[in-house]
Amino acid sequence: ARLAGVTGAADYAALADTDLVIEAVFEELSVKRQVFEQLGRVCRPDAVLATNTSYLDPRSIAEGLPNPGRFIGLHFFSPANVMKLLEIVPTPGTGDATVATGFALARMLGKVPVRAGICEGFIGNRILKRYRAEAEALVGQGVAIAAVDCAMRAYGFAMGPFEAQDLGGLDIAFLQREGARAAGQDVPETLSDILVRAGRKGQKTSGGWYDYKPGDRRPVPSEEVARLLGARIEPGPALDAQAIADRLVGAMAREGKAILEEGIAETASDIDLVEIHGYGFPRWRGGPMFGTRSTST
């Protein structure tokens, strides 16, 4: 019955009587603006128009859109049919009815909605960026890639940060960093940049942080990665699994504290909801902010 209600079209005119449209094209501002230029022409004036952007500023995407009060960010998490989180990102011009519609949609879809302010990455991806940077910093200090992943699995994650990047593709964040560099921002080269430039984008290229044999998703420590990154690694003190987890979760909590102070998240518990339902943070640990809530009010 659900499939029978799904239709496809290649003409924007098919959206003329649609109540709500969610744009989900790739993260290129000019392309997204072209989409909303078309939507602004063909959709009803009261139709809610939403972007699924994960990094771009929604205000820039909606620039010039007729009736901007109906525009909102609705950031679904991948895979969207599994992950419960829906970040709801209003712009300063978004109307109250549009925000309420976003929350109502989340309820209809069985999602966990969290309101987020506007910044690069909103709540979830901003913390993810810091989490990955701290993981790379550990590798730069001589901690083995596999040891970092093992420590985070022991902490309660289904996958460690490097395994997760290989699954999703290292090129996604790489392209975001390259876009920022092209825009004139000073973005230091990361270890993963070195791997992507060497053609290692993750499982889809049979090599990212790990090597993968054809038809086998099990990660194998890579001699090529050790060679590529060797000049950037300075051996430091040995760390056990608990110390590694403490470093990474601590980095998440510090970024969460900054997000709270800037008003990007309304409460510490909202940040925990984002991490648990969007990023697989072990639910039974409460979230990265759980132990700091009493001091964050």
Side-chain angles (χ1 to χ4, degrees):
R2 288 177 177 172
L3 287 172
V6 176
T7 58
D11 187 347
Y12 280 93
L15 304 174
D17 196 41
T18 303
D19 295 324
L20 182 147
V21 178
I22 302 172
E23 163 275 311
V25 302
F26 59 92
E27 295 287 273
E28 172 57 52
L29 180 59
S30 63
V31 176
K32 289 183 182 289
R33 280 180 170 169
Q34 290 172 22
V35 170
F36 280 98
E37 182 180 351
Q38 294 282 352
L39 295 176
R41 283 204 289 261
V42 305
C43 292
R44 297 195 324 254
D46 63 337
V48 173
L49 304 182
T51 176
N52 183 49
T53 185
S54 54
Y55 280 102
L56 298 176
D57 188 331
R59 294 168 295 192
S60 299
I61 295 172
E63 197 171 294
L65 181 71
N67 189 14
R70 54 158 168 187
F71 176 83
I72 195 168
L74 296 178
H75 181 210
F76 291 79
F77 284 71
S78 181
N81 63 313
V82 175
M83 302 307 287
K84 293 286 190 180
L85 179 64
L86 176 58
E87 278 185 325
I88 296 179
V89 189
T91 69
T94 300
D96 291 343
T98 304
V99 176
T101 299
F103 277 88
L105 176 68
R107 183 174 64 251
M108 291 172 64
L109 296 175
K111 300 291 187 182
V112 176
V114 174
R115 181 169 179 153
I118 296 174
C119 66
E120 183 185 351
F122 312 128
I123 297 173
N125 279 339
R126 177 169 162 177
I127 292 177
L128 176 65
K129 181 178 180 179
R130 187 69 195 86
Y131 173 64
R132 288 177 170 176
E134 192 70 18
E136 286 199 16
L138 286 172
V139 172
Q141 294 166 16
V143 179
I145 293 167
V148 175
D149 283 340
C150 183
M152 298 318 291
R153 288 197 307 273
Y155 185 80
F157 282 85
M159 304 180 77
F162 299 113
E163 295 168 315
Q165 285 183 68
D166 275 358
L167 179 63
L170 277 68
D171 52 322
I172 298 173
F174 171 78
L175 291 172
Q176 189 267 331
R177 290 190 294 272
E178 285 290 271
R181 291 167 183 141
Q185 297 181 33
D186 182 16
V187 180
E189 184 179 64
T190 68
L191 298 183
S192 54
D193 287 342
I194 296 172
L195 300 184
V196 173
R197 292 196 178 101
R200 301 182 66 90
K201 300 178 182 179
Q203 290 188 18
K204 58 189 172 186
T205 59
S206 298
W209 292 99
Y210 296 94
D211 291 336
Y212 298 88
K213 297 177 181 177
D216 191 345
R217 291 180 176 270
R218 285 179 296 180
V220 178
S222 171
E223 293 183 4
E224 183 183 0
V225 169
R227 179 184 64 79
L228 287 168
L229 304 184
R232 294 279 296 270
I233 295 175
E234 299 180 3
L239 297 176
D240 61 17
Q242 185 62 55
I244 292 170
D246 287 346
R247 277 277 298 269
L248 295 188
V249 175
M252 296 171 75
R254 287 191 297 276
E255 193 67 28
K257 184 174 183 292
I259 286 170
L260 268 180
E261 291 172 348
E262 294 169 22
I264 301 301
E266 295 181 339
T267 66
S269 57
D270 276 353
I271 295 173
D272 287 338
L273 285 173
V274 166
E275 293 306 311
I276 290 168
H277 294 290
Y279 296 89
F281 196 99
R283 179 191 297 251
W284 56 274
R285 290 191 181 273
M289 307 302 292
F290 182 71
T292 62
R293 278 188 207 162
S294 61
T295 60
S296 64
T297 56

